[in-house]
Amino acid sequence: MLAGGLLVSETHEPVMLAEIVELFAEIPDGVLLDATLGLAGHATAILRRHSGLRVVGIDQDDMAITNAQHVKTTLGADAARFDAFRGRFDDAARTLRAVGVEHLSGALFDLGVSSPQLDVAERGFSYRHEARLDMRMNRSAALSAWNIVNEYSVDALADLLQRNADERFAKRIATAIVAARPIDTTTQLAEIVVSAIPAATRRTGGHPAKRTFQALRIEVNSELDILPGALRDVMSMVTPGGRIAVLSYHSGEDRIVKQVMRDAETDHSQPNIATPYAHPSRTAPRAWRKVRVAKTPTSDEVRRNPRAASAKLRVMQRCEVSA
Ligand SMILES: C[S@@+](CC[C@H](N)C(=O)[O-])C[C@H]1O[C@@H](n2cnc3c(N)ncnc32)[C@H](O)[C@@H]1O
């Protein structure tokens, strides 16, 4: 990723890369949407493996799109099959249609933050690096972590800590944040969270501020609110034999993905294309089925790339046209 003119995170390892490349190797020729392009690690590997695919990447982070232009120059003849556009994935259908794409052979959502967003200090995502509180994936967005930390009420803060990160000390942390205002930096916030948590629990379950930072990031970027609608919209563009794969990184995300996929699997009102039932019935063939794949990274992958530790992969396939 280009940050201040420097190419960083060249060592980035996309999560469950081999599994994801293989599951898209079987989809029909057409367009694959990478709804969370990031460093384009998955996108470029899929592009190389499947010569019948055009890959359209979307990311709301301008740095990802700048990086994609650099990536394109490294792709040789494959570059003609790769495009990247800035946008939010809940607007993906409009972005795709604007460039003439009406149908998809596949879609990938690799949710959450990218390595550069965490590693480039000034993005203000990480309790490990001193920076102004920010956490906006879209740097033109109005709401930043600074606004939430300095302007939300105790109840609103406690609610988002509970809702977005199952934080059991939500009320204590929220009260400590409001009492310590103004709070300008990531490390200042991390210290306030640590001091709000009972000493005996500070040594368990990773850094004590991890859940607070996760909860704020989700709020800043509306991550959970837009996810179900975005998945449904994109799934409605996938043609028979096509697949959707979603990598999630915490229970709140995975609950939504599981629910949307379960609804699609049991929704008999979306008839199988070859047997268009005028009156949807419980006996109509299914429009989507689950694809059984490894759900989590191997222990070897987690050793090499600890950020993969909480990943969960879910995959669905649009049912084939039946005879
Ligand atoms: C985990 S990274 C993706 C990494 C990527 N698969 C790779 O191989 O490099 C997630 C990316 O999705 C982007 N993102 C997250 N939510 C988004 C949304 N609602 N719309 C568009 N992009 C989003 C983030 O900006 C980030 O760059």
Side-chain angles (χ1 to χ4, degrees):
M1 175 87 60
L2 293 164
L6 293 171
L7 197 64
V8 296
S9 290
E10 295 277 51
T11 53
H12 158 74
E13 179 180 346
V15 173
M16 299 185 79
L17 181 63
E19 290 87 342
I20 286 173
V21 167
E22 283 318 303
L23 73 91
F24 285 123
E26 296 168 27
I27 62 174
D29 289 0
V31 178
L32 176 121
L33 167 70
D34 184 339
T36 52
L37 186 64
L39 286 169
H42 288 112
T44 51
I46 294 166
L47 193 75
R48 289 199 171 103
R49 175 74 173 80
H50 193 323
S51 58
L53 287 180
R54 171 184 173 198
V55 175
V56 175
I58 288 179
D59 204 294
Q60 62 178 326
D61 189 334
D62 59 307
M63 287 171 67
I65 304 308
T66 306
N67 186 63
Q69 303 319 317
H70 164 77
V71 167
K72 214 167 152 76
T73 65
T74 68
L75 289 174
D78 294 334
R81 296 186 288 115
F82 176 61
D83 293 296
F85 301 100
R86 181 154 179 221
R88 260 178 35 162
F89 58 51
D90 53 329
D91 202 26
R94 201 190 53 81
T95 305
L96 288 165
R97 290 194 176 109
V99 293
V101 177
E102 296 287 334
H103 302 290
L104 295 171
S105 288
L108 170 66
F109 287 73
D110 178 11
L111 300 171
V113 263
S114 66
S115 304
Q117 286 165 344
L118 285 172
D119 295 339
V120 174
E122 66 261 30
R123 301 300 303 265
F125 277 90
S126 171
Y127 48 82
R128 294 184 200 285
H129 308 297
E130 167 84 17
R132 182 177 161 86
L133 280 164
D134 189 333
M135 304 192 193
R136 289 170 304 162
M137 291 178 181
N138 168 7
R139 291 192 285 178
S140 337
L143 184 75
S144 73
W146 189 95
N147 298 111
I148 296 170
V149 164
N150 287 287
E151 292 164 7
Y152 277 28
S153 67
V154 170
D155 285 349
L157 281 169
D159 177 60
L160 78 90
L161 290 170
Q162 178 65 51
R163 199 165 18 90
N164 293 347
D166 299 320
E167 173 56 67
R168 69 184 163 121
F169 301 113
K171 193 71 184 228
R172 291 173 70 136
I173 295 170
T175 306
I177 287 174
V178 171
R181 285 171 176 169
I183 303 168
D184 289 322
T185 69
T186 48
T187 47
Q188 216 185 332
L189 175 63
E191 280 165 26
I192 292 160
V193 174
V194 172
S195 58
I197 288 177
T201 59
R202 280 180 211 156
R203 284 177 291 277
T204 56
H207 193 289
K210 189 174 166 189
R211 279 188 298 277
T212 297
F213 274 65
Q214 173 186 308
L216 288 169
R217 191 203 85 211
I218 290 170
E219 180 80 2
V220 169
N221 299 290
S222 311
E223 291 177 37
L224 299 183
D225 301 343
I226 63 173
L227 184 56
L231 290 174
R232 284 193 205 102
D233 281 359
V234 167
M235 286 172 85
S236 73
M237 297 180 77
V238 176
T239 50
R243 290 178 168 181
I244 177 163
V246 185
L247 273 166
S248 64
Y249 294 89
H250 59 86
S251 56
E253 276 175 353
D254 188 52
R255 266 197 297 274
I256 291 171
V257 177
K258 198 167 144 189
Q259 186 62 52
V260 170
M261 289 190 168
R262 187 181 294 149
D263 290 350
E265 205 183 16
T266 55
D267 178 5
H268 297 271
S269 67
Q270 260 197 66
N272 175 300
I273 283 174
T275 51
Y277 284 70
H279 303 288
S281 77
R282 303 290 304 166
T283 55
R286 288 182 169 170
W288 287 91
R289 69 171 176 82
K290 271 197 203 84
V291 178
R292 305 251 165 246
V293 285
K295 276 221 188 85
T296 52
T298 61
S299 48
D300 269 359
E301 176 171 353
V302 174
R303 240 191 321 275
R304 283 195 312 274
N305 179 16
R307 282 178 188 166
S310 57
K312 203 163 249 185
L313 175 62
R314 293 187 188 272
V315 185
M316 295 279 280
Q317 177 163 317
R318 187 87 164 87
C319 293
E320 292 283 356
V321 174
S322 54

